[in-house]
Amino acid sequence: MQNFGSNNELDEKGHVLNEQPKIKVKFEPKPKPSKCPICTIEYYQQFFNIEQRDVYMRIRCSILSWKPEFHQCVGKNPDLWGPLWISTTIIFILFAGGNLSRFLLEEDKKHFKYEYNYMYVAVLIVYAMAFIIPIILGVIMKYILKSELGVFDIVCMYGYSLSAYIFVLILCIIPYNEAQWFFLMCGLANSTIFLLVNLWDFMKKNKQTVLIAIPIISFNVALILCFKFYFFRLIYAVDD
């Protein structure tokens, strides 16, 4: 006699000779959902679930600032990977580019000293511009002005608006004052136009939301002033 599905041994009459111990399966209870999902790591994983080609497409939309296509490109999947990569790249360019610009103007290059403070200041300014300020603006638009956009939609848009500065700051390494101002103004125009064009449809639905354009323009102007007067401040040697 064959015994399928059992490990017990049977004699000729079908009696169990050696009864195997039964395996008890314990079912662990599912973890209870957190009362504050936004405070968990799992909540933020969704914002880093993005492919590289999608990041490139969103950067392309931000560079073509006059076309209101960013929301179509993002859809319901805003990400934080792009803003984090863009802002970190800008920090590196500010540190390396600011020092290189000073080095090109230095007459005594053997005694040139790097400005390591550039790194600390760049981290503070850029991350504040990429995350802290848009979070504040997003909370105001979402919960006070009752906008359809979520907080992370604003953070995503603000982060990608900085992508033009990657190219602008590389060009600012050229130690010519007029050229640096020109490049910075181009970056300011691109970033500001991108934000206002893509927010315009939401501003039209609520006239009070139009007021959000004032801090957007103000913070962008303040950003390029920090870039110019701290990282790319040109000091020429003056003959006695």
Side-chain angles (χ1 to χ4, degrees):
M1 179 183 294
Q2 293 181 347
N3 182 27
F4 298 98
S6 176
N7 294 326
N8 297 329
E9 298 180 3
L10 304 178
D11 59 10
E12 294 178 355
K13 296 182 180 181
H15 298 293
V16 178
L17 295 177
N18 296 320
E19 186 175 357
Q20 300 294 331
K22 296 181 180 180
I23 300 175
K24 295 182 180 181
V25 180
K26 295 183 179 180
F27 296 94
E28 296 182 358
K30 295 182 179 179
K32 295 181 180 180
S34 175
K35 295 181 180 180
C36 182
I38 199 171
C39 299
T40 62
I41 297 177
E42 290 77 11
Y43 178 83
Y44 294 95
Q45 289 178 347
Q46 59 181 314
F47 299 111
F48 292 88
N49 185 21
I50 186 172
E51 296 183 3
Q52 191 174 13
R53 60 183 179 86
D54 294 326
V55 175
Y56 290 153
M57 285 298 297
R58 296 177 184 192
I59 291 177
R60 176 182 175 276
C61 289
S62 67
I63 298 298
L64 303 176
S65 57
W66 59 91
K67 295 183 178 181
E69 299 176 350
F70 188 75
H71 290 296
Q72 297 177 3
C73 182
V74 173
K76 295 182 179 180
N77 186 31
D79 74 285
L80 296 179
W81 172 249
L84 180 62
W85 177 83
I86 291 168
S87 54
T88 304
T89 303
I90 290 174
I91 290 171
F92 172 78
I93 295 173
L94 285 173
F95 172 73
N99 279 294
L100 180 56
S101 182
R102 290 177 53 250
F103 178 78
L104 294 175
L105 284 176
E106 183 69 37
E107 293 183 355
D108 188 6
K109 291 181 170 53
K110 292 183 179 180
H111 296 87
F112 176 79
K113 294 182 179 180
Y114 289 96
E115 283 286 350
Y116 292 101
N117 289 334
Y118 281 0
M119 179 62 72
Y120 311 129
V121 177
V123 168
L124 178 63
I125 293 175
V126 177
Y127 281 154
M129 189 68 177
F131 298 104
I132 296 177
I133 291 173
I135 286 175
I136 296 173
L137 294 178
V139 169
I140 294 174
M141 291 186 65
K142 177 68 176 178
Y143 298 104
I144 298 179
L145 301 178
K146 306 300 181 183
S147 173
E148 298 176 4
L149 287 174
V151 175
F152 287 100
D153 292 316
I154 302 296
V155 175
C156 178
M157 187 190 308
Y158 233 98
Y160 279 100
S161 73
L162 301 175
S163 59
Y165 287 112
I166 293 177
F167 310 101
V168 165
L169 294 175
I170 292 175
L171 293 173
C172 282
I173 296 175
I174 301 173
Y176 291 100
N177 196 54
E178 293 77 8
Q180 289 180 349
W181 274 115
F182 174 75
F183 297 139
L184 288 171
M185 294 302 293
C186 289
L188 170 65
N190 185 277
S191 178
T192 306
I193 291 172
F194 168 75
L195 290 171
L196 296 181
V197 165
N198 286 279
L199 287 173
W200 181 245
D201 289 338
F202 301 95
M203 291 180 178
K204 290 190 297 184
K205 297 177 182 179
N206 186 350
K207 294 182 178 180
Q208 292 181 341
T209 312
V210 178
L211 297 176
I212 212 72
I214 298 175
I216 287 176
I217 296 173
S218 300
F219 285 127
N220 279 358
V221 171
L223 182 65
I224 69 160
L225 293 178
C226 290
F227 288 163
K228 175 58 183 171
F229 291 114
Y230 188 81
F231 298 97
F232 296 101
R233 183 180 72 246
L234 301 183
I235 302 176
Y236 298 95
V238 179
D239 295 332
D240 294 333

